[in-house]
């Protein structure tokens, strides 16, 4: 028995990660099967990965005809998914990859908590992290490139906490290829490395991160963008508002901060590692886009590994042994009490007959065809067809052979009046109704 106990403890992080992966994957795939995914963003990212898989550029026609997605956000790391997509060309490949990446990020956190306070603490901390609202929100909303950042941060920050500085640098420097805002996070981690004694390595990380960030935002993104600008610069421009008010008001921003710290019983606030969350929070709260301020979508996923590793860093301040174990169990309880999107999993196993009928109707559109589809139907078509977003298309100079829309009209990306007007224009563009069901209308251009 004593000989097997260490082995069981060693397996625990991987068993927990496997359970999280299965839960994440089942949830994501079922959402897609029930037509609850969207062109913005699953369809867009599938088109990008499909471009890489074809040894081409990550072009997304959902954004615009010929639009290179590297001119929108800088995420060349998506090319890693290309071999998997060639084997299984489907949006489900992206959803499963995201589930695997985020689940894997629980391994170093569970392992470190186990080393600090025992197996019960490890399981509790790993579950609290895996069930945290930031990760659940990401899983519940399509696929995003930040899925790569989550394990890189988890492995990198735990390595930093264990004073494995070279490993910390090796894990965190690839964040530069995930999204253009993450070089700032790498720079802060470099500062933490320097403050913990490896000044040269930390300084090198800061220089690389700052240089890469300036190159990406100032040169690469504008060069690849059709308008030759960084598309999101406008939301960060000064507006004459008091800087403190702009950063912390309206109150939804303070609520986000509260919900970030609450799952860790506010112990994460004791750790300097929490500084790594500052760049992400700063650009989100400074932006004029309200979508960035709250707890929805994928924006908080990168904050979860930072907050929970900071929590583990602060555990010794309350004592070892029983106090630390109690804190980890309490963190799990606090995580469960905070509202999160993944609830009632058994309710989502059965695909509704209406979703099945809609998917069957879409088979009327042949493989290889060009089709304008609304936001709800687009990701059901992107694997085998060239998809544009309805109602932006068709236009006089871009008229796909087919148009597919839901009925009643999907208004997630356009107002009802806009959708109705676009439908009314279809006969003038040469489209005739080819198929109508209770949920889908398909038009074909003669």
């Amino acid at each position: 028995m004593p000989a097997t106990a260490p082995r069981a403890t060693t397996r625990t992080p991987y068993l927990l990660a496997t359970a999280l992966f299965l839960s994440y994957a089942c949830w994501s795939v079922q959402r897609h099967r029930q037509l609850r995914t969207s062109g913005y963003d699953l369809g867009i990212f599938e088109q990008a990965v499909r471009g890489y898989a074809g040894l081409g550029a990550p072009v997304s026609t959902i954004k615009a005809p010929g639009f290179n997605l590297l001119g929108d956000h800088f995420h060349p790391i998506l090319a890693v998914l290309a071999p998997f997509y060639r084997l299984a060309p489907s949006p489900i490949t992206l959803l499963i990859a995201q589930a695997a990446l985020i689940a894997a990020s629980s391994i170093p956190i569970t392992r470190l908590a186990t080393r600090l306070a025992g197996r019960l603490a490890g399981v509790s901390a790993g579950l609290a992290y895996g069930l945290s609202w930031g990760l659940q929100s990401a899983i519940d909303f399509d696929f995003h490139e930040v899925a790569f950042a989550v394990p890189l941060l988890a492995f990198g920050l735990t390595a930093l906490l264990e004073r494995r500085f070279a490993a910390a640098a090796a894990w965190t420097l690839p964040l530069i290829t995930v999204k253009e805002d993450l070089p700032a996070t790498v720079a802060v981690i470099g500062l933490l490395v320097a403050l913990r004694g490896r000044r040269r390595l930390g300084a090198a990380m800061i220089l690389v991160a700052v240089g890469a960030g300036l190159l990406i935002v100032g040169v690469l993104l504008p060069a690849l963008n059709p308008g030759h600008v960084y598309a999101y610069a406008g939301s960060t421009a000064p507006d004459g508002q008091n800087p403190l008010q702009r950063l912390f008001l309206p109150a939804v921003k303070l609520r986000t901060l509260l919900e970030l710290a609450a799952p860790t019983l506010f112990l994460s606030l004791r750790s300097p590692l929490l500084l790594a969350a500052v760049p992400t929070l700063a650009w989100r709260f400074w932006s004029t886009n309200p979508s960035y301020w709250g707890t929805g979508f994928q924006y908080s996923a990168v904050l979860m590994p930072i907050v929970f590793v900071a929590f583990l860093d602060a555990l010794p301040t309350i004592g070892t042994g029983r106090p630390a174990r109690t804190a980890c169990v309490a963190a799990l309880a606090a995580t469960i009490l905070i509202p999160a999107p993944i609830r009632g999993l058994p309710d989502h196993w059965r695909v509704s007959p209406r979703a099945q009928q809609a998917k069957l109707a879409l088979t009327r559109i042949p493989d290889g065809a060009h089709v304008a589809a609304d936001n709800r139907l687009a990701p059901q078509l992107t694997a085998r067809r060239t998809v544009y977003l309805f109602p932006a298309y068709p236009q006089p100079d871009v008229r796909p052979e087919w148009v597919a829309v839901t009925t009643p009209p999907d208004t997630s990306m356009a107002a009802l009046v806009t959708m109705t007007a676009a439908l009314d224009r279809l006969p003038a563009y040469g489209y005739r109704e080819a198929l109508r069901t209770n949920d889908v209308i398909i038009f074909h251009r003669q």
Side-chain angles (χ1 to χ4, degrees):
M1 186 71 178
T4 60
R7 205 176 305 132
T9 301
T10 302
R11 289 197 300 263
T12 299
Y14 301 95
L15 293 174
L16 179 58
T18 301
L20 290 171
F21 164 70
L22 293 174
S23 300
Y24 294 157
C26 288
W27 184 270
S28 297
V29 171
Q30 285 301 101
R31 286 188 74 251
H32 182 67
R33 292 181 66 203
Q34 294 185 62
L35 276 67
R36 293 171 58 201
T37 52
S38 53
Y40 270 74
D41 291 316
L42 180 58
I44 287 174
F45 280 110
E46 187 191 358
Q47 288 184 328
V49 174
R50 183 180 177 184
Y52 283 129
L55 303 180
V59 170
S60 173
T61 51
I62 292 178
K63 289 285 288 187
F67 190 99
N68 188 327
L69 212 57
L70 288 174
D72 185 51
H73 289 300
F74 188 76
H75 37 50
I77 200 168
L78 289 177
V80 171
L81 298 178
F84 303 99
Y85 189 83
R86 283 187 71 93
L87 291 173
S90 165
I92 291 176
T93 301
L94 275 66
L95 297 174
I96 291 177
Q98 176 172 258
L101 288 165
I102 294 180
S105 70
S106 70
I107 293 172
I109 290 173
T110 306
R111 193 163 52 200
L112 179 58
T114 301
R115 184 173 66 81
L116 290 173
R119 189 178 183 186
L120 175 61
V123 173
S124 299
L127 274 175
Y129 168 76
L131 299 177
S132 61
W133 59 264
L135 298 185
Q136 287 197 36
S137 295
I139 292 295
D140 193 54
F141 181 48
D142 293 4
F143 168 90
H144 297 89
E145 73 281 85
V146 296
F148 284 94
V150 177
L152 292 174
L153 282 166
F155 280 96
L157 290 173
T158 52
L160 174 59
L161 195 55
E162 295 167 341
R163 302 188 69 80
R164 295 184 291 114
F165 298 114
W171 279 111
T172 54
L173 282 170
L175 289 167
I176 292 170
T177 65
V178 176
K179 199 161 174 273
E180 68 276 6
D181 63 289
L182 289 172
T185 302
V186 176
V188 173
I189 295 173
L191 174 63
L192 293 170
V193 168
L195 292 175
R196 295 198 173 210
R198 292 293 297 271
R199 294 182 180 178
R200 289 186 179 179
L201 178 60
M205 291 177 66
I206 294 171
L207 288 175
V208 170
V210 171
L214 292 174
L215 177 66
I216 291 167
V217 174
V219 179
L220 297 181
L221 284 169
L224 295 169
N225 185 275
H228 301 293
V229 295
Y230 175 46
Y232 301 92
S235 66
T236 59
D239 60 359
Q241 188 179 1
N242 180 289
L244 287 178
Q245 288 183 335
R246 178 166 175 173
L247 275 174
F248 296 109
L249 295 177
V252 63
K253 299 176 183 178
L254 298 176
R255 178 181 173 182
T256 298
L257 293 175
L258 178 66
E259 293 195 11
L260 275 173
T264 63
L265 314 176
F266 300 94
L267 286 175
S268 56
L269 299 175
R270 296 186 179 189
S271 170
L273 294 186
L274 201 60
L275 289 172
V278 170
T280 296
L281 289 171
W283 75 255
R284 285 176 56 187
F285 289 176
W286 187 259
S287 172
T288 56
N289 186 346
S291 298
Y292 298 153
W293 303 341
T295 58
F297 307 111
Q298 79 282 4
Y299 302 116
S300 295
V302 297
L303 299 176
M304 295 297 108
I306 299 172
V307 169
F308 275 86
V309 177
F311 166 67
L312 297 180
D313 185 33
L315 272 186
T317 66
I318 63 170
T320 58
R322 185 173 181 178
R325 287 194 297 273
T326 302
C328 291
V329 173
L332 174 58
T335 297
I336 293 173
L337 290 174
I338 295 176
I342 299 182
R343 292 286 188 267
L345 187 59
D347 296 337
H348 296 279
W349 282 116
R350 206 181 318 171
V351 179
S352 70
R354 299 186 69 174
Q356 292 175 336
Q357 291 172 7
K359 291 168 73 71
L360 181 62
L362 294 178
T363 61
R364 176 70 179 270
I365 303 172
D367 291 353
H370 289 230
V371 53
D374 63 29
N375 193 43
R376 183 183 174 196
L377 297 180
Q380 305 294 327
L381 296 163
T382 44
R384 298 181 179 275
R385 303 157 183 95
T386 300
V387 180
Y388 303 82
L389 189 67
F390 182 89
Y393 298 92
Q395 293 182 3
D397 56 337
V398 179
R399 291 187 291 171
E401 306 156 67
W402 300 84
V403 173
V405 296
T406 53
T407 179
D410 171 37
T411 56
S412 58
M413 292 296 294
L416 179 60
V417 62
T418 304
M419 297 291 288
T420 303
L423 287 169
D424 291 342
R425 287 194 299 268
L426 291 180
Y429 289 155
Y431 292 92
R432 299 292 181 268
E433 190 175 299
L435 177 67
R436 177 185 287 265
T437 70
N438 291 334
D439 298 281
V440 175
I441 309 174
I442 296 176
F443 300 88
H444 186 229
R445 183 166 58 84
Q446 302 300 318

